[in-house]
Amino acid sequence: DAREAAGQPRGGFAGQVRATDGMVLDVLAHRSDDLLVLEFEPAASSGIVTAKVLAEIETAAAAFEDSASMAALLANAAREFRNLTGYDRVMIYRFLEDGSGVVLAEDRREDMHAFMNHHFPASDIPKQARALYVRNTIRVIPDVGYTPAPLRPTDTPQAPLDMSDCGLRSVSPVHIAYLHNMGVQASASISIIKDGELWGLVACHNETPRAIGFEQRAACRALAGTLSRGIKSREEADIYRERIRLRSFEDDIVALLSREGSLDDALSNHLDEVRRMLDADCVAVVRGRDVVTAGSCPGERSLKDLVDWLLKRDGDAVFATNELGRFYDGAGEFGNVASGMLSITLSAAQPWVVMWFRAERLQVIDWAGNPHKGTEPGPGGVLNPRASFDAWRETVRGRSLPWSLAETESAGRLRIHVSEIDQNRRLRELNEQLMATVREKDHLLTQKQFLIGEVNHRVQNSLQLVSSFLAMQARESNNPELQTAIEEARRRLSAVSLVHRRLYRADQFETVDAARYIEELLAEQVDSMGADWGRSITRSLSPVIISPDRAVSLGLIVAELVTNAQKYAYAGAAGPLHVALSEDRTSFRLSVQDRGVGRSSTRKGFGTRMMDALVGQLGGSLRFENRSPGLEAVLTAPIILYPKVEKSGL
């Protein structure tokens, strides 16, 4: 039975034995490393949890569930624990953030003085004692006047026995003296554990020695678990209600800010709603050099200095404290109106900061004795605890009502919402600017297209007029050479005219597809050369994108090379002619190859001089190669001709 009981997490009841003097003893067992530890204590009853104790636990649990508030829950807990244990005084004691504690509920004998709402300094319960309260959740001292009994092991132990889980271990002499000073002869402490942390204690005191047996302690442990769950449920319900309230405020404020034209104007117009959202006495918004406030706030200079301090801190964008003077040296100048602050930084670059302030609330704290007189060394270095527990009143300044976790979370969410609203406004403004730019561009493109069309129309008319004059001149002349020259000039005009027509039809006015341009140029030239040429000319044209001015030069060269092939390779008759265009990285290659008689003259006439000038404009080179039969003219030039940079004389 002992081994089975010791296997439980906190040990357990192993049974009862009868001593030689006839006393019935409860046997409790637990493990300490590889040792089985047995504790024997006088039995309070039969050693099992009776129906009466179970009924008391059920009654207490029902009272906890019916509690309408946290205060009612703790008051019911103090009463039920006193009914269960029979102590003169039972207190529900909560640990605060600074380590001190406060009595939140009390049930006592009527003739005893009250400790309700009294604070106890952190030194009354040291950290090591609190760690034991988490490990061993119930500690009973039946008689503070007991005589400690030393341990006498039969064998020399390898290491001292760890008695952390022993209920019968001795108590610190300082704690015994502390209880004597309070006039307490017996005590019990039951831990209230919430989420694995020590939330507080059920502190039981008696003016005469009093023991509670295993079954009562087990009932207290079970009841403490029920109480901790009730506390957690109440706290979570309160936080949930607070979050719902704040969410409603957030939604309303976000809706108000979203409807306004300017976010700065929106914050200014609805600043009082922002203040009331977090139950603040005042709120201030600092954006750049502008400061707007609602309520009784520090001065503008103080607010800007405070923002500078906030931006220099290496912390989160949300800062909250109910004691600003602890962190900011300049808080003393306005502590009466702004002892507590909650701030959100929307932008550190501008800067842009929203700050809520709560005014100083004088806090009068009743201490059970002077908190500044703790444990002091006595004669021989023995520590003596404070002796007085008379009410000692202290007035605390420089603090405001604290900001709750829900309020801090709500401020953080509002920061995200305002940032999103600001970003959305900036995106809308940018989109509007872009749309205006696009509309302006479309308008300019329409104008450009109209102008190009008009220019093309006039150029075409002019070129057509010149071509007509040349045709008239050719008809009136009886000189065959002059007629041939005029016809060549007309073909050159046709090449220039074709570029303008393509520009007018195309969507891209800055570029021309040279392959399509040469294809159309050849088609027009074939119409004037005769149908036989349509069957003789073959093409191999790859797309090459060039500028319009380079297209004009290229077209004139193509027209000239085709004319030369007709004139010199085949003596005016039709013959095989292959025109090819390809791209090689940053250059293009044009080839016009016939199968005629080959090069027959080195004379440089007007056409040759014109081609040399056009090739120079393209920045390329033109070479002629005999193919036996035929002649191939190869033009190589860059697709884009960059201007030459003159070398400096320095």
Side-chain angles (χ1 to χ4, degrees):
D1 292 343
R3 295 183 186 277
E4 182 179 351
Q8 300 178 22
R10 297 188 182 91
F13 181 75
Q16 291 183 332
V17 297
R18 187 176 298 275
T20 56
D21 60 359
M23 179 182 292
V24 178
L25 302 174
D26 287 338
V27 182
L28 307 179
H30 71 272
R31 289 210 172 266
S32 177
D33 295 329
D34 57 348
L35 299 177
L36 177 63
V37 180
L38 302 179
E39 296 182 86
F40 299 86
E41 63 179 57
S45 62
S46 61
I48 60 172
V49 178
T50 62
K52 177 183 177 182
V53 174
L54 285 175
E56 290 178 351
I57 293 176
E58 291 179 356
T59 301
F64 293 171
E65 292 181 1
D66 293 339
S67 301
S69 64
M70 179 68 79
L73 171 64
L74 300 181
N76 286 334
R79 183 183 66 254
E80 295 300 334
F81 273 102
R82 185 167 178 236
N83 291 338
L84 183 61
T85 61
Y87 281 88
D88 294 333
R89 183 200 306 273
V90 173
M91 298 173 288
I92 306 298
Y93 178 92
R94 180 176 186 178
F95 291 107
L96 303 179
E97 291 183 359
D98 61 358
S100 64
V102 60
V103 177
L104 299 180
E106 182 182 40
D107 194 81
R108 56 184 171 80
R109 218 175 56 211
E110 292 183 359
D111 59 328
M112 300 177 72
H113 68 278
F115 281 125
M116 181 66 178
N117 294 325
H118 278 52
H119 288 65
F120 290 78
S123 58
D124 280 7
I125 304 178
K127 290 184 178 180
Q128 59 268 31
R130 298 182 200 187
L132 280 175
Y133 280 131
V134 175
R135 177 172 177 175
N136 197 343
T137 56
I138 186 166
R139 185 77 172 100
V140 178
I141 305 176
D143 186 355
V144 299
Y146 75 98
T147 300
L151 288 178
R152 296 187 177 89
T154 57
D155 297 324
T156 302
Q158 296 294 326
L161 176 65
D162 183 359
M163 300 185 67
S164 300
D165 296 324
C166 292
L168 298 180
R169 73 179 186 276
S170 190
V171 183
S172 166
V174 177
H175 186 55
I176 293 297
Y178 181 90
L179 294 175
H180 273 302
N181 293 342
M182 290 189 73
V184 174
Q185 293 298 310
S187 74
S189 300
I190 303 113
S191 304
I192 304 173
I193 308 294
K194 186 173 79 72
D195 295 330
E197 301 289 336
L198 185 63
W199 183 92
L201 295 173
V202 180
C204 308
H205 292 167
N206 214 64
E207 292 188 346
T208 58
R210 181 174 183 80
I212 56 175
F214 171 77
E215 64 178 14
Q216 286 178 296
R217 297 201 301 275
C220 288
R221 188 178 288 114
L223 194 59
T226 303
L227 174 60
S228 66
R229 289 189 291 273
I231 290 172
K232 180 178 180 179
S233 176
R234 287 288 173 188
E235 288 182 343
E236 289 178 347
D238 292 343
I239 292 174
Y240 178 76
R241 283 193 294 269
E242 179 69 1
R243 284 175 173 163
I244 291 296
R245 183 189 72 81
L246 291 170
R247 284 281 190 176
S248 177
F249 254 113
E250 289 172 36
D251 293 342
D252 292 343
I253 290 174
V254 169
L256 291 172
L257 298 182
S258 300
R259 287 199 297 266
E260 298 282 347
S262 165
L263 186 56
D264 289 334
D265 293 340
L267 282 172
S268 300
N269 295 337
H270 303 289
L271 206 54
D272 198 55
E273 287 93 332
V274 177
R275 178 189 65 80
R276 288 188 288 108
M277 169 184 166
L278 296 183
D279 193 24
D281 295 308
C282 67
V283 65
V285 179
V286 178
R287 188 169 191 178
R289 297 181 179 180
D290 299 329
V291 178
V292 292
T293 62
S296 179
C297 282
E300 182 174 324
R301 183 67 265 164
S302 297
L303 290 173
K304 290 184 177 179
D305 290 342
L306 187 54
V307 168
D308 291 340
W309 172 79
L310 280 171
L311 297 180
K312 291 177 182 177
R313 294 181 70 255
D314 294 331
D316 296 331
V318 180
F319 174 78
T321 178
N322 71 320
E323 195 174 356
L324 185 58
R326 286 181 53 199
F327 304 94
Y328 180 57
D329 294 337
E333 300 177 3
F334 48 80
N336 58 329
V337 296
S339 289
M341 182 184 75
L342 195 163
S343 69
I344 55 175
T345 301
L346 299 171
S347 172
Q350 289 182 311
W352 190 11
V353 180
V354 181
M355 296 173 286
W356 290 266
F357 296 100
R358 283 178 178 170
E360 178 185 60
R361 299 293 173 91
L362 294 180
Q363 188 176 7
V364 178
I365 300 178
D366 289 326
W367 294 91
N370 188 343
H372 307 295
K373 294 184 67 174
T375 303
E376 299 176 352
V382 178
L383 294 177
N384 293 320
R386 57 194 180 94
S388 174
F389 291 88
D390 294 336
W392 194 89
R393 180 161 291 181
E394 180 181 25
T395 302
V396 179
R397 302 186 63 92
R399 295 181 186 175
S400 70
L401 292 177
W403 307 95
S404 68
L405 175 62
E407 289 171 332
T408 305
E409 292 174 342
S410 181
R413 286 193 299 270
L414 183 63
R415 172 183 172 273
I416 295 173
H417 291 319
V418 173
S419 298
E420 289 176 347
I421 292 173
D422 185 54
Q423 291 175 0
N424 290 336
R425 289 179 189 277
R426 290 176 181 273
L427 285 175
R428 285 199 299 271
E429 291 173 359
L430 181 59
N431 286 335
E432 290 173 359
Q433 294 174 1
L434 290 175
M435 291 299 296
T437 303
V438 169
R439 287 193 296 269
E440 183 178 357
K441 182 179 180 181
D442 289 342
H443 179 65
L444 292 175
L445 287 175
T446 302
Q447 288 183 325
K448 184 176 181 180
Q449 187 174 12
F450 173 77
L451 290 175
I452 289 177
E454 184 66 21
V455 169
N456 178 74
H457 178 68
R458 295 187 181 187
V459 169
Q460 292 294 330
N461 287 342
S462 299
L463 293 176
Q464 185 64 38
L465 182 61
V466 172
S467 180
S468 299
F469 285 156
L470 290 174
M472 291 172 59
Q473 187 69 32
R475 286 195 300 271
E476 293 177 359
S477 174
N478 295 321
N479 188 339
E481 292 183 0
L482 178 60
Q483 291 177 344
T484 301
I486 291 175
E487 185 61 32
E488 290 177 0
R490 291 186 64 192
R491 282 199 294 270
R492 290 162 185 159
L493 285 174
S494 177
V496 175
S497 175
L498 179 60
V499 171
H500 284 277
R501 290 201 302 274
R502 284 203 51 76
L503 284 175
Y504 179 68
R505 295 199 306 266
D507 294 331
Q508 296 291 332
F509 305 118
E510 295 83 4
T511 59
V512 172
D513 182 356
R516 292 184 61 187
Y517 169 56
I518 293 174
E519 178 74 32
E520 294 182 14
L521 180 65
L522 290 174
E524 288 195 1
Q525 197 163 0
V526 165
D527 289 342
S528 64
M529 293 168 63
D532 292 341
W533 278 102
R535 295 186 293 271
S536 300
I537 297 179
T538 59
R539 305 161 181 83
S540 177
L541 305 173
S542 300
V544 178
I545 305 301
I546 58 177
S547 61
D549 58 333
R550 296 177 73 75
V552 171
S553 299
L554 178 62
L556 291 172
I557 292 173
V558 171
E560 197 67 25
L561 291 174
V562 172
T563 300
N564 287 344
Q566 178 192 25
K567 182 187 301 185
Y568 300 114
Y570 300 113
L577 189 66
H578 183 71
V579 181
L581 178 69
S582 61
E583 179 180 342
D584 182 14
R585 299 183 181 178
T586 60
S587 301
F588 67 85
R589 181 180 184 275
L590 172 70
S591 169
V592 179
Q593 182 178 357
D594 62 64
R595 292 185 177 274
V597 297
R599 185 181 294 273
S600 60
S601 174
T602 59
R603 183 177 61 87
K604 285 195 173 184
F606 172 77
T608 302
R609 294 196 302 273
M610 183 189 74
M611 277 201 298
D612 290 343
L614 293 172
V615 171
Q617 290 178 1
L618 291 175
S621 63
L622 178 64
R623 70 181 188 275
F624 294 90
E625 298 179 3
N626 286 312
R627 293 303 181 189
S628 301
L631 182 70
E632 181 181 11
V634 179
L635 169 67
T636 304
I639 294 175
I640 300 175
L641 182 63
Y642 295 99
K644 293 183 178 180
V645 178
E646 295 184 0
K647 295 183 179 179
S648 174
L650 296 178

